[in-house]
Amino acid sequence: MSASAGTRRTSTALPTRLRVAGAALAGTAALLALTGCSGLEYREAVCSDGHYPVLAVNNSGSDCVQDGKEPAPGWTRYPEGKVPQDVDDKWYVYWQDHTLDEDGNIVDSPAR
């Protein structure tokens, strides 16, 4: 038997490694896309469409009022530029520890 006969090997290791690496890369991309790392994330609105958020005066409560209607007595609109839009956004968090007094001044919320 000659040295070349019977010792010929076909290398399938590299293509297998490439397939594994490609599958791992595709899996990582899918994971990133599904976990919000793709720049798309779910945000829950404070109020549904057609409503705006209001704040309880001298209290820590909040509610939503239908567009075109005024808040009930004891409730007021948030100050302009400080309106929470989404749950856990900057202003949503801020207003958990603050409220407005009857003169419209920002004050600490009563203990929750």
Side-chain angles (χ1 to χ4, degrees):
M1 196 184 232
S2 72
S4 64
T7 59
R8 184 172 178 213
R9 293 187 226 168
T10 55
S11 177
T12 58
L14 184 58
T16 300
R17 285 187 197 146
L18 287 176
R19 282 194 295 266
V20 170
L25 184 59
T28 300
L31 180 65
L32 290 174
L34 294 173
T35 60
C37 295
S38 65
L40 302 173
E41 64 180 280
Y42 174 75
R43 307 276 309 179
E44 183 179 353
V46 170
C47 294
S48 60
D49 288 341
H51 292 78
Y52 67 92
V54 294
L55 180 65
V57 175
N58 285 319
N59 204 327
S60 60
S62 63
D63 200 0
C64 296
V65 173
Q66 186 175 356
D67 288 346
K69 302 223 176 188
E70 289 299 314
W75 296 84
T76 190
R77 295 174 185 262
Y78 286 90
E80 187 174 335
K82 298 180 180 181
V83 182
Q85 300 296 316
D86 299 308
V87 173
D88 291 330
D89 72 12
K90 172 185 174 179
W91 294 115
Y92 182 92
V93 172
Y94 177 83
W95 289 110
Q96 291 187 20
D97 295 323
H98 299 84
T99 191
L100 296 174
D101 67 14
E102 56 280 341
D103 297 321
N105 300 310
I106 297 175
V107 296
D108 289 337
S109 286
R112 292 195 280 169

